[in-house]
Amino acid sequence: MIKKIEQINQSATAEINSVKTLDELEAFRIKYLARNGLVGDLFDALKTLDKSDRPLMGKYLNDLRNNAQSLFDKKKEEIESNTTIRQETDDLTLPGRRRWIGSRHPLTQTLDEIKRIFYKMGFEVADGPEIEDDYHNFEALNFPPDHPARDMQDTFFITDKILLRTHTSPVQIRVMEKQKPPVRVIIPGRVYRNEAISARSYCLFHQVEGLYVDEGVTFSELKGTLVTFAKQFYGSSLKFRFRPSYFPFTEPSAEMDITCFLCNGKGCRVCKQTGWLEILGCGMVDPNVYKYVGYDEEKISGYAFGMGIERIAMLMYGIDDIRILYQNDIRFLKQF
Amino acid sequence: MRISLGWLKKYVAINVSPEELAHSLTMCGLEVESIEYLGAKYNHFVVGKVIDVQKHPKADRLTVCQVDIGAEKVQIVCGAPNVAAGQTVPVGLIDAVVPRDQHDPNGNPLKISKVSLRGVESNGMICSEYELGLGDDKEGILVLEASAPIGVPLADQLGVNDIIFEIGVTPNRPDALSHIGIAREVAAIQNIKLMLPAIDVQTNDTSISDLVKVIIEDVENCPRYSGRLISGVKIGKSPLWLERILESVGIRPINNIVDVTNYVLMECGQPLHAFDFDKVSNGTIIVKSGIDDFNFTTLDHKERKLRPDTLMICDDKKPIAIAGVMGGENTEITQSTTRVFIESAYFLPRSIRRTAKYFGLSTDASQRFERGADPEITLWALNKAADMIISIAGGTVLGNSIDVYPNKIKEKEIVIRISKVNELLGITISKKEIIDLLTKISFKLSNKESTKSNPDLLSLLVPSFRPDIEREIDVIEEIARMHGYDNIPVHEITKLRLSENNPPKDFLPIIRDCFIGAGLQEIVTNSMQPISIATLASDNVVKIANPISRDMEALRTSLLPSMLEVIRENIFKGNSSLRLFEIGKTYYHHHSIIGEYLPQYSEKTQLLIAFTGNQNPLRWDEKPRNIDFFDVKGEIESFFQKIFLDNIKFIHYPNTNALSERGVHIEINKEYAGMVGYVRKEILKQFDIENEVIFAEIDIEKIINKIKIKRHYTTLPKYPSMIRDIALVIEPNITMDKIEEAIKASGTSLLKHIELFDTYSGKQIGDSKKSYAFRLEFYSEDHTLTQNEIDGVMNNIINELEHKLKAIIRR
């Protein structure tokens, strides 16, 4: 009897290891644990033993049954908990179970940083349509019809008078149409230019426009705001310069350059040997613009500025082909 | 605009380096975009003397030359037939880059290195005119004057040491589109004198008015028309210096007459046009518009259909030039031309702009007229041209010039306020300083009576070459520019008066963070696509009238197609497990009036997420599993949970969309807000994607105003909750949402939470049925629940399920 018990115990312990599926486990149960299984048979045989032997053998048999049952339970849990088999391992240097990670697109990261800085300076966000009319995109921004300034921006037209905005500046008009001064907003958004696609230019890009109109706003303040921004964004040791430029909707107009941070102003390929990088255009809002939105040009003054997010991102991250920003190759995006 | 430093020096004595000059021009608004050192292309080229010429031992056509280059003698194998001992020649040494390789079909540059030609060493190249980019002669080497000093750099010998500034002239500065214009600025910023050449034209005794008659019919669009007649000219090639200087500023030499007109254009900015006077009928010039339905052939041999608003130069029979844009073939200067009529006019910018746009023709002339030429310079330019022509092409200038200028354009007078200048710029500048700055750039003081008594006012006369200056603000800009933007202080303290508007919260970063936190990667895609793709999701496609290509003819109506393109490209590059999202706009054209900004157009901000490939990164203890519908739906549900959006329903829909099949609509407060679904197999095939892609699309505007920003604290339960599980067997057509509804309806206020924790279908419950198991959580805000209470509620629920859904409860 004892021998039999031991045999069954050994075979059950051995067999359970080869059990992989619930069906096999069921076969195991029928073989050992069912009423007329191997263990059950032995219990039946218990009655044929001497009375004096029965308690001890009974205890052995109970142990056998408990062992087989626990093998069965353990295996059942194992199979049910996972179709795969968790291995016990001592190698704690195995990798943990990582999840996918995601990130913001580099353009979003750049924009978010720009926004963060202007929020601190009291700017709010405003928004407007990408499909615009000629009035908001050009006319009210002091681009007269039949004026060569319109050539500065190659335009995609939907109809004669409807177009894809070429800059975020029309939102200046839309904001001022709705709101009285003080107006202090930034306007991020997508803009379109009908230019051949190359490493340096894409048919669309993103801008952040800024507008501040209030009583007594000066050009000196415009410089202050933009220098503060540039130092926050590019680092406080930066050198900068403002040089005269032309935009129909600002006067005086300027472009802001900072020392090329790739060559420290010595001159390199990126800054075209000038040592300077142009980062934005700006100026005092042209009085003609106030006429279009019904502001009294004698009572208020203001400034506006605009920068291209792609350009800034490309400079920041050392990207030399604008198109890669729109290809969304995951190997590229994972770098940010 | 290309500006030659050598040319500039004719008008101003520049005493700073080219780099410093470039910087000061840039800082006064004439941005020098690049500096080109013309001599640089002749680095490693020197003047040499051929000492000895021997036949090449192995090649009939080659010779072996010994060339003296001053410091040493070099051996050069040469293929030119005309090489001979004693010649002075241009020699390219090792490392020189020959501008044009004459054996290359495209004439690409060629770098010289030490070579062995059929066994004979060659250490350089004797170059032809073509190779040096000096002309078209490829037949033999260029032989220089015998007196040329041996060993000097070739650039010095050729006189090509000029420096060219590429200046980006903004559209408001037509006055800077010439060398004199730039010289004027240089004189002002360097505080030096501008020296304009004096012109003294020798004329004969015949008066031009005996031969030429000019009538301006359209005075509005042509305020001034001047001209001169030169007879007895001989048309030919211009002298080398003239061709060279024109080429250096980017103008192709044509013949001596046209070259002179172009020279004067580049010198003073006034466009001139030369007519073959013998082809002008009856010596009559009429400036008019109103010619309709006429095909006119311009100098570029293209036929152009005239419009009534096109201002034309005509003789008494026919049009002969498109005014201010381009001349006509019918009066072109040719080899046989002997009498030349030079036109120097002032046309109205608007008119020229319209015409140039209409013909799609932008010429050196039209660019200047449409920005605004100087009406007062016509005669100076004319005389300069006449003077040059007789010295270059011979002939005599007829006495007098034509000058039809019926209404003299008045000098502009502008009054500025000194206080306004200081207020707007944030500086302190005196009236005296302002006068000083402005007179440097040719403004004159006018003593307007009304300004005399007020010291704050200053009245000024604007120079005729500054059409851009019309208002006080324009003058303030000039003051700022001449004062120097860098001298305006940086005022860093700004007052912080905020608008009383309470701007809407920017939710996009929050939404973005939710999905990035869930391991999704943000993408940004092009919003332009082919019409065939844009129409997949909507018929209301916005079409672009002048697209770059057919591939970008329409604006997207869904974010899905560009997402699929990104998925395809990434799979192609070996990354097939992707979890991506984009937040972007979609665009629609409507026939009815519904847009927020423009009546017939609308834009929607959408969120799109898409999954394909494995649900998890590869793990060592887990079999990879493909993503499925519930992974995406779960992501959306978690998102809604995270932004506390409730009242959401997912409604199963069969096959209703061109892009997707099998999925659910998302409804918030019974309003459609988006969907989750499988991308259609046909669409995947169209995009070359073999794997399954599951996506969700949400209309951001539909959820933003429903996000509950203001949270309100709910007291935490004071009494323990009780859990009951319930499993039911139902018909397969009974969906989860129906069951949930039934449980909620019957669960009373004690039921706080329902969670599905198991589903089953199989033999044990009958083939056609399914079983769902739920865990229900109950608690009360005011007492501890008893078993009896819960039993009662459970009975309610069971009753409801049994009666409404014919469910069988598994016990």
Side-chain angles (χ1 to χ4, degrees), chain B residues 323-339:
Chain B
V325 181
M326 193 179 268
E329 206 178 45
N330 55 13
T331 47
E332 188 180 359
I333 304 291
T334 63
Q335 288 304 316
S336 55
T337 301
T338 59
R339 288 199 296 173

Side-chain angles (χ1 to χ4, degrees), chain A residues 95 97-98 100 105 108 130-131 151 155 157 184 192 214 219-221 223 251 253 286 328 330, chain B residues 353 424 471 474 477 485 488-489 495 497 522 524 527 545-546 570 579 587 603 615 619-621:
Chain A
R97 288 182 199 96
R98 292 181 202 176
W100 299 115
H105 191 279
T108 309
E130 291 172 25
I131 302 172
D151 290 346
T155 311
F157 289 96
R184 194 198 300 260
Y192 299 81
D214 201 347
F219 191 90
S220 173
E221 249 176 295
K223 282 183 73 173
E251 186 154 22
S253 300
D286 193 291
N328 299 290
I330 205 89
Chain B
R353 161 84 183 170
L424 192 78
R471 302 166 296 163
D474 302 323
E477 180 173 57
Y485 281 16
I488 296 174
K495 61 181 176 293
R497 189 155 79 99
E522 188 189 20
V524 174
S527 34
N546 57 335
N570 276 294
R579 298 156 65 86
Y587 313 82
E603 298 171 20
Q615 161 65 1
R619 291 172 179 171
W620 51 271
D621 64 342

